[in-house]
Amino acid sequence: MTLRLLLLAALALAPAAKAPAAPAGGLAVLGLRPVEAGPGSATAITRLAEAQRLRAAVEGVAEALGGAPPLRHDDLRGALGRAYLVTLFDCLDDEPCLLAAAAPLRARGVDAALVGEYGRQGDLLTVRLRRLDLRAGRVAAAATFEVPAAQAEALAPWRAGLAPLFDDTGSLALVVNLAGAACTLDGRPCDLGPDGVLPAVTAGEHLLSLSHEGYRRLDRVVVVVAGQRLRVAAALEELPLQVVKAPDPASRLPTFAPPGEETRLAPFGSLRLLFLVDDVDAGEREEPAVPGGVAPGGAGLVVLPRPAVVGVSVQSPRGPGGWQLRGAVAAAFVKDPAPELDSAYAELLDEELGLRFLLGLGQSVFSGLTAGTLTSPEGFGDLAGGLVGLTASTSLGPVLLEGFVGKHKSQLGAEAWPGGAVPAPFLAARLAYVDAGRGGRLYGEDYPLTVSLSAVMGEERLGDPDEAAWAAEAGLPAPALERLPVRAASLELFLPLSPTASLAGEAWVGEGVHLLEGSLWQRPRLDPATGRHHRLRSAGGWLQLAVGVGQRLELRALAGLDAVVAGLGSGAAPFDEAPVSRNELAAVNGTLELVPGLSLGLQLHLVRTTFLDPSLGRPLLRAASFTGQVAF
């Protein structure tokens, strides 16, 4: 009690700051408490007059930095009472007590207040000041600095020490579990330093967003305090398993980047120029099998600019719910002289949910892997789905599930026949195990370990007018107008052996698979007695070893087989084609990427074709090819 009375008396005798009283404003300077020893120690009553003179320096600097005069001693005596300094000094270092003592100033429109203490050590004053946020009821910033005692009443020595209290920015220190994560603050890229610190962030609430390919986007509201560093620790979670486009040596489908802020329209395509020499001179075409009745022995050069693909892709920004919309359309010269529609599809996907819907002609659910030959990869066990319709995909952990309903592309735009049957829709499904942690390279693209089982079933119409005209010319009964099932099952594998080597392949069985480019395109047989059709049952597959040498050279060895196991002898072959029971391929090749998008290739291959007619034998075709390919 005696100390409190002495303090009241000293404060009454202490002169007020000489600056004139200021009107109510946004800032008040409550005072400087002289201390006997270190921070939080007892008040040095004998230096109260000195403290009031130093307070005038603080008020002058506060006015310069804040842009408006603060409430001074005389104003505060009217707002808080004549003994307000006694109350403040009784708080010592208790922050809640200081905030409670200054709280009545809110009624005067004061949002912030400065209060502090100082001690003398030799020729230096050690000053500690706090900026109180009266609206939030907390300490907004604090600063500790030294002032030479000889210059204590000048403004210049105080300016540097007080400046941090008037800085309305803080900083963010980010700690993320993934290196290279993209960061935005309120939609703008973060300018992070090498230590992961984002400086000069305006005080207040901000939306911090972190993202990384293959991981869930993280959005978090952060509150930055002026003069303080906020540490934000974030752990990004992996996205559910996504459908990944299987690598294609001919680059016939586009590869999409993560969506941007605007809709993107981009051309894509490829052109392969083929120079092929084989010992079967049977015309200007590639020979997937040795033609019937043509004996190897001659030499022929084929120059073909195929496949040639040109298309355009479109990709919209990510929607508010996370959904993405993208698609592509492309035409191609593949086998026929005229162009054909190679792809036309739209995709709607949500990476967060692991859902994708594809409508149109795109990547097939059935038989998605493609063998890496430099010639057309048909005729030796590499099937092609050609399915047009709706595909839905989702994942359960490392398991990918896909389903399809629609038609085969050969059925689109088909003319109606008098009395012809309408085929049932095609259905397909795929079950795949994907190990995203074990990846490799195939045809210059990254691809994860994948083991998949797929199946397709549908119907085809038979007895079309062209077949009827052939049968009449051949003296056979009119073909029956009927529908036969198309069924197939496929097992596919991509196994990375090392970061640069991989094993890939497919094994399949089916019936009526000529629509899927199996059975060497051989159609069902026509019964010469009844005109009914008998489907062919087939089996085949291919296996490939690929080894990367450096970043630009890939070497491959592969073998394939397409065999008809039943049905060849059950009737006449439509259009008098020589029945083939077995077609085999063995090839070695290498591709060298000269620059991104431009590559050269060299291939040596053998094709052995076994005919049903023993007189045609098992001829062997030998060939060499050189290719140049441009992709964009």
Side-chain angles (χ1 to χ4, degrees), residues 50-85:
E50 176 192 61
Q52 289 295 80
R53 294 193 302 273
L54 298 182
R55 172 186 180 152
V58 174
E59 290 170 343
V61 173
E63 180 174 352
L65 294 175
L71 265 68
R72 291 178 166 88
H73 179 56
D74 290 341
D75 301 302
L76 295 173
R77 293 173 92 177
L80 300 176
R82 296 178 61 84
Y84 78 93
L85 279 176

Side-chain angles (χ1 to χ4, degrees), residues 225-248:
V225 177
Q228 297 185 18
R229 175 172 294 177
L230 177 64
R231 183 178 183 272
V232 179
L236 299 184
E237 300 177 356
E238 286 192 67
L239 287 169
L241 185 65
Q242 308 293 313
V243 176
V244 179
K245 178 180 74 72
D248 174 15

Side-chain angles (χ1 to χ4, degrees), residues 475-562:
L476 297 172
L481 298 175
E482 55 184 333
R483 300 177 302 181
L484 286 187
V486 175
R487 293 190 284 253
S490 168
L491 176 65
E492 294 180 293
L493 168 71
F494 175 74
L495 176 63
L497 303 177
S498 73
T500 59
S502 65
L503 191 67
E506 175 185 16
W508 58 267
V509 295
E511 56 185 13
V513 294
H514 68 99
L515 290 180
L516 308 176
E517 301 186 0
S519 301
L520 216 65
W521 301 277
Q522 297 178 99
R523 294 162 53 105
R525 307 292 95 167
L526 182 64
D527 190 317
T530 65
R532 304 280 302 200
H533 296 87
H534 299 278
R535 58 186 180 269
L536 304 181
R537 294 179 180 173
S538 308
W542 56 274
L543 188 65
Q544 170 182 287
L545 175 66
V547 178
V549 181
Q551 295 296 315
R552 298 185 176 183
L553 178 63
E554 185 173 81
L555 305 177
R556 310 179 197 121
L558 63 131
L561 166 69
D562 188 343

